[in-house]
Amino acid sequence: MARFLYRCPLRWADMDAFGHVNNVVFLRYLEEARIDFMFRLAPGDGSASFSGGSVVARHEIDYKLPLVHRYEPVPIELWVTEVKAASLTVAYEVKDVASEDGPERVYVRASTVVVPFDLDAQRPRRITAEEKFFLQKYRDDE
């Protein structure tokens, strides 16, 4: 199982009055990681996969530790936990991995249900075989 890694820069404006990254900002971080995963890494050069649009059907987020502003980006691991005919579920961990500088620190665990969307027809669409093949590379039911 492979996990996609996105390194998300923190912005000073992401902080709230309590001196840590605001809870709403984490949803933006997850969106950045998900968009980078689905669009930049879409299978095949010139592939139309995922380019037609998508909508978020559900977010679930657990805040574990406060994250404060720093200059190094925060790593976001992303993987796919479920692929259905017309939706997929993506899981995330926003965390610093264990190193000689300290133990692993998990700031957020989350998941998002994404529905591919046909913008012209204004309705959900099914996941293509090409998209399913791409998503299976990042599949983990953990």
Side-chain angles (χ1 to χ4, degrees):
M1 177 268 330
R3 289 192 177 185
F4 175 74
L5 179 64
Y6 179 75
R7 300 190 51 79
C8 187
L10 281 69
R11 297 146 200 98
W12 184 254
D14 295 347
M15 306 290 283
D16 63 17
F18 300 110
H20 54 74
V21 173
N22 184 274
N23 65 306
V24 173
V25 173
F26 276 104
L27 290 173
R28 291 187 197 123
Y29 292 172
L30 302 179
E31 177 185 55
E32 286 182 34
R34 185 176 64 254
I35 295 301
D36 194 55
F37 170 70
M38 291 178 68
F39 293 100
R40 189 174 65 83
L41 291 181
D45 293 337
S47 172
S49 291
F50 301 117
S51 63
S54 63
V55 295
V56 170
R58 177 183 172 85
H59 282 301
E60 190 172 312
I61 187 164
D62 292 319
Y63 300 96
K64 300 297 187 180
L65 291 172
L67 176 62
V68 297
H69 183 267
R70 63 193 198 187
Y71 294 104
E72 67 272 3
V74 65
I76 301 174
E77 286 186 3
L78 177 153
W79 63 98
V80 176
T81 59
E82 186 173 45
V83 179
K84 293 183 178 179
S87 70
L88 62 124
T89 303
V90 176
Y92 320 79
E93 283 186 334
V94 180
K95 69 180 183 179
D96 290 318
V97 296
S99 70
E100 61 214 27
D101 297 329
E104 176 180 271
R105 294 180 55 87
V106 177
Y107 304 105
V108 160
R109 286 193 177 104
S111 65
T112 303
V113 176
V114 178
V115 177
F117 198 77
D118 183 329
L119 295 172
D120 292 331
Q122 286 295 295
R123 63 177 180 183
R125 66 168 179 81
R126 296 178 78 74
I127 293 174
T128 68
E130 182 184 29
E131 291 165 341
K132 188 172 185 175
F133 179 77
F134 170 75
L135 294 169
Q136 293 299 337
K137 294 182 215 174
Y138 295 93
R139 182 74 188 266
D140 184 3
D141 298 327
E142 184 180 314

